[in-house]
Amino acid sequence: MKKRKNNSSSIYLAEFRDKALEKEFYNAEIAKNLNYIKFTILIAGLVYFLFIIPEYFLIKDATLFISIFINRCIIFVLLMFLYIKVSRDKTYFSLIYWFTAYEIIISLSFIYVSNQFPSPDLLIQSFGVMLMVLTIFLINNRWLYSVFTSLFVSTGYFIFSTICFNDVPFAKFSAAIVYILIVIVLSSISSYSINYYKRIQYQNTIELLKMVENDALTGIYNKAKFNQEYARLAEWAEQQNTCLAVVMFDIDDFKEVNDHYGHLAGDMVLTELTKIICKNIFQSDLFARWGGEEFVLIFPDVRLKQAIERVERLRNLIAEYTFGEIGKVTCSFGVAVFEKGDDLEKVLQRSDERLYLAKNSGKNIVK
């Protein structure tokens, strides 16, 4: 498992520098707020469309009303499409681009519609743009994209206003620019702080989980996490009518290593041995430190003969490795297979009995 530094240097522009971690965080954030996001999209679509009711009474030009009605229908359909996409997607990182595109489209649509009313007021319309900016920063999007979108929409509004509004006093126009910029700056600062501390909290949560689930010395799963994962794998094996190979092993004569070379050297053996195993097992395999110099492995969907072949390869790799000044170290292995209805105690007992047999047969053996 990749070690992550829990400090501010790992975050830049309110995002993790590590792209994989940023993607992991964003997916978790959307998953956590999925119902809220779906509800917001649905309500936004309905509210945006229902504005056609007051517009029916305010706009006397039938052609203009029809064009606005079509505009609102298109936005409503687009939002319903986004609602369906968010509901069906299993990975959410691509939604960053969807949200940004929708923010721009809806904002420009809002500016276009709001300026079709008779005798529009610049400052009142500016207030609507401020609300759009606030909404943009409330959406779960990348901070930098939110800043870009709010600036893009505001710039578009002022260009549109320059074309549509005649004889607007410079002071009024300048005031509108200042007000909108203040909202963008304040929203940007607030959004940056929120995004920054959300990621710090996420990092801290990951580190706490690692402390709870992983062995402090070797970094692999500890006994408690192994028990939890075994229950999941056993349930899966029952449902799929397949098997699990369970391997228990320990380091031969490890006490002599500690007594002769010291506990720091013993810790080095444990960490180096862990690295050897981790490099030579599959991602789907489960590897944990059971206690002291004893370890346990699970190979999902692997039968006894294949498991013994895989373990024999691991045994050879360990036996051939040179552990610094200590030199050669060997391990003994006991292999058992999960049977339908087995609980953890039963299958580990069979594996432990095979390990005991390997020890009594001369060590550095797979049984």
Side-chain angles (χ1 to χ4, degrees):
M1 187 180 291
K2 187 178 178 181
K3 191 173 182 181
R4 292 158 177 161
K5 293 182 180 179
N6 188 9
N7 54 53
S8 58
S9 65
S10 63
I11 300 173
Y12 179 68
L13 292 177
E15 291 184 15
F16 288 117
R17 292 177 184 269
D18 184 335
K19 292 182 179 179
L21 180 57
E22 176 63 27
K23 187 174 181 179
E24 179 187 309
F25 165 80
Y26 189 79
N27 285 333
E29 187 71 12
I30 295 295
K32 183 176 69 175
N33 298 296
L34 186 60
N35 289 333
Y36 165 77
I37 292 168
K38 287 163 59 180
F39 178 76
T40 303
I41 293 170
L42 187 61
I43 294 301
L46 290 171
V47 170
Y48 192 87
F49 181 76
L50 290 175
F51 269 112
I52 198 68
I53 296 173
E55 288 165 354
Y56 175 78
F57 297 100
L58 292 171
I59 299 174
K60 305 303 181 183
D61 187 325
T63 303
L64 179 59
F65 175 78
I66 290 171
S67 70
I68 292 175
F69 178 76
I70 292 171
N71 177 286
R72 294 203 178 277
C73 287
I74 291 171
I75 296 298
F76 178 77
V77 170
L78 287 174
L79 283 168
M80 292 307 100
F81 175 79
L82 181 63
Y83 177 88
I84 294 169
K85 179 174 176 58
V86 171
S87 301
R88 292 184 176 180
D89 274 9
K90 300 301 179 185
T91 55
Y92 304 111
F93 196 70
S94 64
L95 291 177
I96 287 173
Y97 310 106
W98 285 87
F99 287 159
T100 302
Y102 269 74
E103 287 169 0
I104 293 172
I105 292 169
I106 294 171
S107 299
L108 293 179
S109 172
F110 172 82
I111 292 168
Y112 167 76
V113 170
S114 63
N115 282 286
Q116 300 308 307
F117 291 96
S119 304
D121 185 272
L122 179 70
L123 290 181
I124 293 175
Q125 302 300 346
S126 298
F127 180 72
V129 175
M130 293 178 210
L131 290 178
M132 292 299 301
V133 169
L134 291 172
T135 304
I136 287 168
F137 281 101
L138 286 174
I139 295 170
N140 291 75
N141 204 348
R142 297 173 72 175
W143 177 79
L144 201 60
Y145 283 17
S146 295
V147 173
F148 166 78
T149 304
S150 60
L151 289 172
F152 177 84
V153 169
S154 302
T155 304
Y157 167 72
F158 286 116
I159 292 172
F160 192 86
S161 299
T162 303
I163 297 170
C164 294
F165 288 92
N166 296 319
D167 302 324
V168 177
F170 179 76
K172 197 173 185 179
F173 195 79
S174 301
I177 293 175
V178 170
Y179 294 155
I180 291 174
L181 283 177
I182 288 173
V183 171
I184 292 174
V185 170
L186 293 178
S187 298
S188 299
I189 294 170
S190 176
S191 176
Y192 183 90
S193 298
I194 291 169
N195 279 281
Y196 177 84
Y197 284 108
K198 273 185 177 181
R199 283 160 177 79
I200 291 292
Q201 185 180 37
Y202 187 74
Q203 277 187 317
N204 290 338
T205 301
I206 290 172
E207 293 302 319
L208 285 172
L209 284 174
K210 284 179 66 177
M211 289 173 65
V212 171
E213 297 178 346
N214 294 77
D215 175 61
L217 176 63
T218 61
I220 60 175
Y221 284 150
N222 57 26
K223 189 174 182 178
K225 180 62 176 176
F226 175 84
N227 291 341
Q228 179 185 336
E229 290 297 305
Y230 174 84
R232 178 183 62 80
L233 287 171
E235 183 181 358
W236 171 82
E238 292 240 21
Q239 291 173 350
Q240 301 296 319
N241 195 26
T242 187
C243 55
L244 300 173
V246 180
V247 183
M248 290 199 75
F249 69 97
D250 68 7
I251 302 170
D252 297 326
D253 304 315
F254 188 68
K255 185 177 183 301
E256 294 180 12
V257 172
N258 279 331
D259 290 344
H260 187 73
Y261 295 98
H263 287 281
L264 289 178
D267 288 349
M268 180 274 292
V269 170
L270 292 170
T271 54
E272 289 297 308
L273 183 142
T274 300
K275 290 176 185 177
I276 294 170
I277 300 293
C278 288
K279 288 178 182 178
N280 291 281
I281 58 176
F282 299 127
Q283 191 173 2
S284 58
D285 297 334
L286 181 62
F287 182 32
R289 186 179 179 190
W290 195 249
E293 74 275 20
E294 195 168 21
F295 297 85
V296 62
L297 275 163
I298 288 185
F299 301 147
D301 199 19
V302 174
R303 301 197 177 277
L304 182 61
K305 183 180 178 182
Q306 184 184 357
I308 290 174
E309 290 173 354
R310 288 184 61 185
V311 174
E312 187 64 41
R313 179 171 176 270
L314 293 174
R315 184 195 65 78
N316 281 324
L317 287 170
I318 295 167
E320 292 169 1
Y321 187 83
T322 301
F323 292 83
E325 61 174 341
I326 297 169
K328 302 296 181 180
V329 171
T330 62
C331 291
S332 298
F333 298 80
V335 185
V337 175
F338 164 87
E339 296 174 0
K340 194 169 184 178
D342 268 344
D343 58 24
L344 181 59
E345 186 177 347
K346 286 181 180 178
V347 73
L348 284 176
Q349 183 179 355
R350 290 200 300 272
S351 181
D352 193 47
E353 288 170 356
R354 303 296 296 177
L355 172 59
Y356 184 75
L357 182 60
K359 290 286 189 184
N360 288 339
S361 300
K363 301 176 184 177
N364 192 25
I365 291 174
V366 177
K367 285 290 186 178

